[in-house]
Amino acid sequence: MKWITREHPKIDRIACPWLIIRFIDADAEIIYVPFDEVMARANELNATPFDLPGVEYTHYDDQCTFDYFIKKHQLKDPALDRIASIVRGADTDRHDFAPQSAGLEAIFSGLAYNIKNDRELLELGMTIYDGLYSWAKHLHQLKHTQGSAEERMLLEVFNKYIKQNSSKKAPAWAKELKEMIQDQLDTNMALSLQQASDELAINPAYLSREFSKYFDNLSFGDYIRKLRIDKAKHLMDTTAYSLTEVAYLTGFSDQSHFTRIFKKQTGQNPSSYNKSAKGKKDTK
């Protein structure tokens, strides 16, 4: 599913995509465009607009769009409720909602000042909100300046987290999922996160959160798209297929979708890459 909002995100328009990808739709595509183009592009791309006036996913009373996503999709998680208070305070300049709101606003104001590429800012924001979620889930009751007993508890949680994430041995489900993804790629069949979670008998929210640890620090959707683009490059390097055929053989719905994802992944249009690949073959 595609989600579209205003360009130059800072608070809500980083928090909401994180919430979507981690808890609602791991395959989601987040699109940032100029404010006056959002609705037209939403209709053109069949994308759901969010965080702007007059749409369903937006601010209500003193609550921000992040709050509405939680309510709309019935996400029952105390950690998300804690994050919602922080995001709400940061996004509405009501730092009395949560003591962490001022810090969150300061961090993302500085990052938005330094990073002008919305996609790059979102990728960094995903990591920051992953850390904030871990705090809200496991560490929110601990204080940095409290006694040695709580400091030891914090260190134990931290060390356990580091060990879990630094382990090179992937769990059985990750190995099985890698084979499923490869089969999907080889047979040109679509595989969704929900299908994978059903096949593996794993909660989709858990699978979405844990996936990046074992798959190149990428989300489920980003990893699938990367493999498809790698396959497309291989086909262009080694065959005489047209771009339409390459798009079909790599599982894209149409050539325009293939072109957009290819350029996002590689920085160039597939036609330019294909000409370069053919030129290399002709000189051999």
Coordinates of all heavy atoms in Angstrom, one line a residue, residues 30-100:
I30 N 6.3 4.8 1.3 CA 6.1 6.2 1.8 C 6.5 7.2 0.7 O 7.7 7.1 0.3 CB 6.8 6.4 3.1 CG1 6.6 5.3 4.1 CG2 6.5 7.8 3.7 CD1 5.1 5.1 4.5
I31 N 5.6 8.1 0.4 CA 5.9 9.1 -0.7 C 5.8 10.5 -0.1 O 4.8 10.8 0.5 CB 4.9 8.9 -1.8 CG1 5.0 7.4 -2.3 CG2 5.2 9.9 -2.9 CD1 3.8 7.1 -3.3
Y32 N 6.8 11.3 -0.3 CA 6.8 12.7 0.1 C 6.8 13.6 -1.2 O 7.6 13.4 -2.1 CB 8.1 13.1 0.9 CG 8.2 12.4 2.2 CD1 9.1 11.3 2.4 CD2 7.4 12.8 3.3 CE1 9.2 10.7 3.6 CE2 7.5 12.1 4.5 CZ 8.4 11.1 4.7 OH 8.5 10.5 5.9
V33 N 5.8 14.5 -1.2 CA 5.7 15.4 -2.4 C 5.4 16.8 -1.8 O 5.0 17.0 -0.7 CB 4.6 15.0 -3.4 CG1 4.9 13.6 -3.9 CG2 3.3 15.0 -2.7
P34 N 5.5 17.9 -2.7 CA 5.2 19.2 -2.2 C 3.7 19.3 -1.8 O 2.8 18.5 -2.3 CB 5.4 20.1 -3.5 CG 6.5 19.3 -4.2 CD 6.2 17.9 -4.0
F35 N 3.4 20.2 -0.8 CA 2.1 20.2 -0.2 C 1.0 20.3 -1.3 O 0.0 19.6 -1.2 CB 2.0 21.4 0.7 CG 0.7 21.7 1.3 CD1 0.3 21.0 2.4 CD2 -0.2 22.6 0.7 CE1 -1.0 21.2 3.0 CE2 -1.5 22.8 1.3 CZ -1.9 22.1 2.4
D36 N 1.1 21.2 -2.3 CA 0.1 21.4 -3.2 C -0.1 20.3 -4.3 O -1.0 20.4 -5.1 CB 0.3 22.8 -4.0 CG 1.6 22.9 -4.7 OD1 2.4 21.9 -4.6 OD2 1.9 23.9 -5.3
E37 N 0.8 19.3 -4.2 CA 0.7 18.2 -5.1 C 0.1 16.9 -4.4 O -0.1 15.9 -5.1 CB 2.0 17.8 -5.7 CG 2.6 18.9 -6.6 CD 4.0 18.6 -7.1 OE1 4.3 17.4 -7.1 OE2 4.7 19.5 -7.5
V38 N 0.0 16.9 -3.1 CA -0.4 15.7 -2.4 C -1.6 15.0 -2.9 O -1.6 13.8 -3.2 CB -0.5 16.0 -0.9 CG1 -0.9 14.7 -0.1 CG2 0.9 16.4 -0.3
M39 N -2.7 15.8 -3.0 CA -4.0 15.1 -3.3 C -4.0 14.6 -4.8 O -4.6 13.6 -5.0 CB -5.2 16.1 -3.0 CG -5.3 16.5 -1.6 SD -5.3 15.1 -0.4 CE -6.8 14.2 -0.9
A40 N -3.5 15.4 -5.7 CA -3.4 15.0 -7.1 C -2.6 13.7 -7.2 O -3.0 12.8 -7.9 CB -2.9 16.1 -7.9
R41 N -1.4 13.7 -6.6 CA -0.6 12.5 -6.7 C -1.2 11.3 -6.0 O -1.0 10.2 -6.4 CB 0.8 12.9 -6.1 CG 1.6 13.9 -6.9 CD 2.0 13.4 -8.3 NE 2.8 12.2 -8.2 CZ 4.1 12.1 -8.0 NH1 4.8 13.3 -7.7 NH2 4.7 11.0 -7.9
A42 N -1.9 11.6 -4.9 CA -2.6 10.5 -4.2 C -3.6 9.8 -5.1 O -3.7 8.6 -5.1 CB -3.3 11.1 -2.9
N43 N -4.4 10.6 -5.8 CA -5.3 10.0 -6.8 C -4.6 9.3 -7.9 O -5.0 8.2 -8.4 CB -6.2 11.1 -7.4 CG -7.2 11.7 -6.3 OD1 -7.6 11.0 -5.4 ND2 -7.5 13.0 -6.5
E44 N -3.5 9.9 -8.4 CA -2.8 9.3 -9.5 C -2.1 8.0 -9.1 O -2.1 7.0 -9.9 CB -1.7 10.3 -9.9 CG -0.7 9.8 -11.0 CD 0.4 10.8 -11.2 OE1 0.2 12.0 -11.0 OE2 1.5 10.3 -11.7
L45 N -1.6 7.9 -7.9 CA -0.8 6.7 -7.4 C -1.7 5.8 -6.6 O -1.2 4.7 -6.2 CB 0.4 7.2 -6.6 CG 1.4 8.1 -7.3 CD1 2.4 8.6 -6.3 CD2 2.1 7.3 -8.4
N46 N -3.0 6.1 -6.4 CA -3.8 5.3 -5.5 C -3.2 5.2 -4.2 O -3.1 4.1 -3.6 CB -4.1 3.9 -6.1 CG -5.2 3.2 -5.4 OD1 -6.1 3.8 -4.8 ND2 -5.1 1.9 -5.4
A47 N -2.7 6.3 -3.6 CA -2.0 6.3 -2.3 C -2.9 7.0 -1.3 O -3.8 7.9 -1.6 CB -0.7 7.1 -2.4
T48 N -2.8 6.6 0.0 CA -3.6 7.2 1.1 C -2.8 8.4 1.6 O -1.7 8.3 2.1 CB -3.8 6.2 2.2 OG1 -4.4 5.0 1.6 CG2 -4.6 6.8 3.3
P49 N -3.4 9.6 1.6 CA -2.8 10.8 2.1 C -2.8 10.8 3.7 O -3.8 10.3 4.2 CB -3.5 11.9 1.5 CG -4.9 11.4 1.3 CD -4.7 9.9 1.0
F50 N -1.8 11.4 4.3 CA -1.9 11.6 5.8 C -1.1 12.8 6.2 O -0.3 13.4 5.5 CB -1.3 10.3 6.5 CG 0.2 10.1 6.3 CD1 1.1 10.6 7.2 CD2 0.7 9.4 5.1 CE1 2.5 10.4 7.0 CE2 2.0 9.2 5.0 CZ 2.9 9.7 5.9
D51 N -1.5 13.3 7.4 CA -1.0 14.5 8.0 C -1.1 15.7 7.2 O -0.1 16.5 7.0 CB 0.5 14.2 8.4 CG 1.0 15.2 9.5 OD1 0.2 15.5 10.4 OD2 2.1 15.8 9.3
L52 N -2.3 16.0 6.7 CA -2.6 17.3 6.1 C -4.1 17.5 6.3 O -4.9 16.6 6.5 CB -2.2 17.4 4.7 CG -2.9 16.6 3.6 CD1 -2.6 17.2 2.2 CD2 -2.4 15.1 3.6
P53 N -4.6 18.8 6.3 CA -6.0 19.1 6.5 C -6.9 18.4 5.5 O -6.6 18.3 4.4 CB -6.0 20.6 6.4 CG -4.6 21.1 6.6 CD -3.7 20.0 6.1
G54 N -8.1 18.0 6.0 CA -9.1 17.5 5.2 C -9.1 16.1 4.8 O -9.9 15.6 4.0
V55 N -8.1 15.3 5.3 CA -8.1 13.9 5.0 C -8.3 13.1 6.3 O -8.4 13.7 7.4 CB -6.7 13.5 4.5 CG1 -6.4 14.3 3.2 CG2 -5.6 13.7 5.5
E56 N -8.6 11.8 6.2 CA -8.9 11.0 7.4 C -7.8 10.9 8.4 O -8.0 11.1 9.6 CB -9.3 9.6 6.9 CG -9.7 8.7 8.1 CD -10.0 7.3 7.8 OE1 -9.9 6.9 6.6 OE2 -10.3 6.5 8.7
Y57 N -6.6 10.6 7.9 CA -5.4 10.5 8.8 C -4.8 11.8 9.0 O -3.9 12.3 8.3 CB -4.4 9.5 8.1 CG -4.8 8.1 8.1 CD1 -5.6 7.6 7.0 CD2 -4.5 7.2 9.1 CE1 -6.0 6.3 6.9 CE2 -4.9 5.8 9.0 CZ -5.7 5.4 8.0 OH -6.1 4.1 7.9
T58 N -5.2 12.5 10.1 CA -4.7 13.8 10.3 C -4.9 14.1 11.8 O -5.2 13.3 12.6 CB -5.5 14.9 9.5 OG1 -4.8 16.1 9.6 CG2 -7.0 15.0 9.9
H59 N -4.7 15.4 12.2 CA -4.9 15.8 13.6 C -6.4 15.9 14.0 O -7.2 16.3 13.2 CB -4.3 17.2 13.8 CG -2.8 17.2 13.8 ND1 -2.0 17.9 14.6 CD2 -1.9 16.5 12.9 CE1 -0.7 17.7 14.4 NE2 -0.6 16.9 13.3
Y60 N -6.7 15.6 15.2 CA -8.0 15.8 15.8 C -7.9 16.3 17.2 O -7.2 15.8 18.0 CB -8.8 14.4 15.8 CG -9.1 13.9 14.5 CD1 -8.3 13.0 13.8 CD2 -10.3 14.3 13.8 CE1 -8.6 12.5 12.5 CE2 -10.6 13.8 12.5 CZ -9.8 12.9 11.9 OH -10.1 12.4 10.7
D61 N -8.6 17.5 17.4 CA -8.5 18.2 18.7 C -7.0 18.4 19.0 O -6.3 19.0 18.3 CB -9.2 17.4 19.8 CG -10.7 17.2 19.4 OD1 -11.3 18.2 18.9 OD2 -11.3 16.2 19.7
D62 N -6.6 17.9 20.2 CA -5.2 18.2 20.6 C -4.3 17.0 20.3 O -3.2 16.9 20.8 CB -5.1 18.5 22.1 CG -5.5 17.3 23.0 OD1 -6.2 16.4 22.4 OD2 -5.3 17.3 24.2
Q63 N -4.8 16.0 19.5 CA -4.0 14.9 19.1 C -3.5 15.0 17.7 O -4.1 15.6 16.8 CB -4.9 13.6 19.3 CG -5.3 13.4 20.7 CD -5.9 12.0 20.9 OE1 -6.4 11.4 20.0 NE2 -5.7 11.4 22.1
C64 N -2.4 14.3 17.4 CA -1.8 14.4 16.1 C -2.1 13.2 15.3 O -2.8 12.3 15.7 CB -0.2 14.6 16.3 SG 0.6 13.3 17.1
T65 N -1.5 13.1 14.1 CA -1.8 12.0 13.2 C -1.4 10.7 13.7 O -2.0 9.6 13.5 CB -1.2 12.3 11.8 OG1 -1.5 13.6 11.4 CG2 -1.6 11.3 10.8
F66 N -0.2 10.7 14.4 CA 0.3 9.4 15.0 C -0.8 8.8 16.0 O -1.0 7.6 16.0 CB 1.6 9.7 15.8 CG 2.3 8.5 16.3 CD1 3.3 8.0 15.5 CD2 2.1 8.0 17.5 CE1 4.0 6.9 15.9 CE2 2.8 6.9 18.0 CZ 3.8 6.3 17.2
D67 N -1.5 9.7 16.8 CA -2.5 9.2 17.6 C -3.7 8.5 16.8 O -4.2 7.5 17.2 CB -3.1 10.4 18.4 CG -2.2 10.9 19.4 OD1 -1.8 10.2 20.4 OD2 -1.7 12.1 19.3
Y68 N -4.0 9.2 15.7 CA -5.1 8.6 14.9 C -4.8 7.3 14.3 O -5.6 6.4 14.3 CB -5.5 9.6 13.8 CG -6.7 9.1 13.1 CD1 -8.0 9.2 13.6 CD2 -6.6 8.5 11.8 CE1 -9.1 8.7 13.0 CE2 -7.7 8.0 11.1 CZ -9.0 8.2 11.7 OH -10.1 7.7 11.1
F69 N -3.5 7.1 13.8 CA -3.1 5.8 13.3 C -3.3 4.7 14.4 O -3.8 3.6 14.1 CB -1.7 5.8 12.9 CG -1.5 6.2 11.4 CD1 -1.1 7.5 11.1 CD2 -1.6 5.3 10.4 CE1 -0.9 7.8 9.8 CE2 -1.5 5.6 9.1 CZ -1.1 6.9 8.8
I70 N -2.9 5.0 15.6 CA -3.0 4.0 16.7 C -4.5 3.7 16.9 O -4.9 2.5 17.1 CB -2.4 4.5 18.0 CG1 -0.8 4.6 17.8 CG2 -2.7 3.7 19.2 CD1 -0.1 5.2 19.0
K71 N -5.3 4.7 17.0 CA -6.8 4.5 17.2 C -7.4 3.7 16.0 O -8.2 2.8 16.2 CB -7.5 5.8 17.4 CG -9.0 5.7 17.7 CD -9.6 7.1 17.9 CE -11.1 7.0 18.1 NZ -11.7 8.4 18.2
K72 N -7.1 4.2 14.8 CA -7.8 3.6 13.6 C -7.4 2.1 13.5 O -8.3 1.3 13.2 CB -7.3 4.4 12.4 CG -7.7 3.8 11.1 CD -9.2 4.0 10.8 CE -9.6 3.5 9.4 NZ -11.0 3.7 9.1
H73 N -6.2 1.8 13.7 CA -5.7 0.4 13.5 C -5.7 -0.4 14.8 O -5.2 -1.5 14.8 CB -4.4 0.4 12.8 CG -4.4 1.0 11.5 ND1 -4.7 0.2 10.3 CD2 -4.2 2.3 11.0 CE1 -4.7 1.0 9.3 NE2 -4.4 2.3 9.7
Q74 N -6.3 0.1 15.9 CA -6.5 -0.6 17.1 C -5.2 -1.2 17.6 O -5.2 -2.4 17.9 CB -7.6 -1.6 17.0 CG -8.9 -1.0 16.6 CD -10.1 -2.0 16.4 OE1 -9.9 -3.1 16.9 NE2 -11.1 -1.6 15.8
L75 N -4.1 -0.4 17.7 CA -2.8 -0.9 18.1 C -2.8 -0.9 19.6 O -2.6 0.2 20.2 CB -1.7 -0.1 17.5 CG -1.7 -0.1 16.0 CD1 -0.6 0.8 15.4 CD2 -1.5 -1.5 15.4
K76 N -3.0 -2.0 20.3 CA -3.0 -2.1 21.8 C -1.6 -2.4 22.3 O -1.3 -3.5 22.4 CB -4.0 -3.1 22.2 CG -5.4 -3.0 21.6 CD -6.1 -1.7 22.0 CE -7.5 -1.6 21.4 NZ -8.2 -0.4 21.8
D77 N -0.9 -1.4 22.5 CA 0.5 -1.5 23.0 C 0.9 -0.4 23.9 O 1.0 0.8 23.4 CB 1.5 -1.6 21.8 CG 2.9 -2.0 22.2 OD1 3.3 -1.7 23.3 OD2 3.6 -2.4 21.3
P78 N 1.1 -0.6 25.2 CA 1.4 0.5 26.1 C 2.7 1.3 25.7 O 2.7 2.5 25.9 CB 1.7 -0.2 27.4 CG 0.9 -1.4 27.3 CD 0.9 -1.8 25.9
A79 N 3.6 0.6 25.0 CA 4.8 1.3 24.6 C 4.5 2.3 23.5 O 5.0 3.4 23.4 CB 5.9 0.3 24.1
L80 N 3.6 2.0 22.6 CA 3.2 2.9 21.5 C 2.4 4.1 22.1 O 2.5 5.2 21.6 CB 2.3 2.2 20.5 CG 3.0 1.2 19.6 CD1 2.0 0.6 18.6 CD2 4.1 1.8 18.8
D81 N 1.6 3.8 23.2 CA 0.9 4.9 23.9 C 1.9 5.9 24.5 O 1.7 7.2 24.4 CB 0.0 4.4 24.9 CG -1.2 3.6 24.4 OD1 -1.5 3.8 23.2 OD2 -1.7 2.7 25.1
R82 N 3.0 5.4 25.0 CA 4.0 6.3 25.6 C 4.7 7.1 24.5 O 4.9 8.3 24.6 CB 5.1 5.5 26.3 CG 4.6 4.8 27.6 CD 5.7 4.1 28.3 NE 5.1 3.3 29.4 CZ 4.9 2.0 29.4 NH1 5.2 1.3 28.3 NH2 4.3 1.3 30.4
I83 N 5.0 6.5 23.4 CA 5.6 7.2 22.3 C 4.6 8.2 21.7 O 5.0 9.4 21.3 CB 6.0 6.2 21.2 CG1 7.2 5.3 21.7 CG2 6.4 7.0 19.9 CD1 7.6 4.3 20.7
A84 N 3.3 7.9 21.7 CA 2.3 8.8 21.2 C 2.3 10.1 22.0 O 2.2 11.2 21.4 CB 0.9 8.2 21.2
S85 N 2.4 10.0 23.3 CA 2.4 11.2 24.1 C 3.6 12.1 23.8 O 3.5 13.3 23.7 CB 2.5 10.9 25.6 OG 1.3 10.2 26.0
I86 N 4.8 11.5 23.6 CA 6.0 12.2 23.2 C 5.9 12.9 21.9 O 6.2 14.0 21.7 CB 7.2 11.2 23.2 CG1 7.4 10.6 24.6 CG2 8.5 12.0 22.8 CD1 8.4 9.5 24.7
V87 N 5.4 12.1 20.9 CA 5.2 12.7 19.5 C 4.2 13.8 19.5 O 4.4 14.8 18.9 CB 4.8 11.5 18.5 CG1 4.4 12.1 17.2 CG2 5.9 10.5 18.4
R88 N 3.1 13.6 20.2 CA 2.0 14.6 20.3 C 2.6 15.9 20.9 O 2.4 17.0 20.3 CB 0.9 14.1 21.1 CG -0.3 15.0 21.1 CD -1.4 14.5 22.1 NE -1.5 13.1 22.1 CZ -1.5 12.3 23.2 NH1 -1.3 12.8 24.4 NH2 -1.6 11.0 23.0
G89 N 3.3 15.8 22.0 CA 3.9 17.0 22.6 C 4.9 17.7 21.7 O 4.9 18.9 21.6
A90 N 5.7 16.9 21.0 CA 6.7 17.5 20.1 C 6.1 18.1 18.9 O 6.5 19.2 18.4 CB 7.7 16.4 19.7
D91 N 5.1 17.5 18.3 CA 4.5 17.9 17.1 C 3.5 19.1 17.3 O 3.3 19.9 16.3 CB 3.7 16.8 16.4 CG 3.4 17.0 15.0 OD1 4.3 17.3 14.2 OD2 2.2 17.0 14.6
T92 N 3.0 19.3 18.5 CA 2.0 20.4 18.7 C 2.6 21.5 19.7 O 1.9 22.3 20.1 CB 0.8 19.8 19.3 OG1 1.1 19.2 20.6 CG2 0.1 18.8 18.4
D93 N 3.9 21.4 19.9 CA 4.6 22.3 20.9 C 3.9 22.3 22.2 O 3.9 23.4 22.9 CB 4.5 23.8 20.3 CG 5.5 23.9 19.1 OD1 6.6 23.3 19.2 OD2 5.2 24.7 18.2
R94 N 3.4 21.2 22.7 CA 2.9 21.0 24.0 C 3.8 20.0 24.8 O 3.5 18.9 24.9 CB 1.5 20.4 23.9 CG 0.4 21.4 23.5 CD 0.1 22.5 24.6 NE -0.2 21.9 25.8 CZ -1.5 21.5 26.1 NH1 -2.5 21.6 25.3 NH2 -1.7 20.9 27.3
H95 N 4.9 20.6 25.2 CA 5.9 19.7 25.9 C 5.5 19.2 27.3 O 6.2 18.4 27.9 CB 7.2 20.5 26.0 CG 7.8 20.8 24.6 ND1 8.8 21.7 24.4 CD2 7.5 20.3 23.4 CE1 9.1 21.8 23.2 NE2 8.3 21.0 22.5
D96 N 4.3 19.7 27.7 CA 3.8 19.2 29.0 C 3.1 17.9 28.8 O 2.8 17.2 29.8 CB 2.7 20.2 29.5 CG 1.6 20.5 28.5 OD1 2.0 20.9 27.4 OD2 0.4 20.5 28.9
F97 N 2.9 17.4 27.6 CA 2.4 16.1 27.4 C 3.3 15.0 27.8 O 2.9 13.9 28.3 CB 2.0 15.9 25.9 CG 0.7 16.5 25.5 CD1 0.7 17.2 24.3 CD2 -0.4 16.5 26.3 CE1 -0.5 17.8 23.8 CE2 -1.6 17.1 25.9 CZ -1.6 17.7 24.7
A98 N 4.6 15.2 27.6 CA 5.6 14.2 28.0 C 7.0 14.9 28.2 O 7.3 15.8 27.3 CB 5.7 13.1 27.0
P99 N 7.7 14.6 29.2 CA 9.0 15.3 29.4 C 10.0 15.1 28.2 O 11.0 15.8 28.1 CB 9.6 14.7 30.7 CG 8.8 13.4 30.9 CD 7.5 13.6 30.3
Q100 N 9.8 14.0 27.5 CA 10.8 13.7 26.4 C 10.4 14.5 25.1 O 11.2 14.4 24.1 CB 10.7 12.2 26.1 CG 11.2 11.3 27.2 CD 10.0 11.0 28.2 OE1 8.9 11.4 28.0 NE2 10.4 10.4 29.3

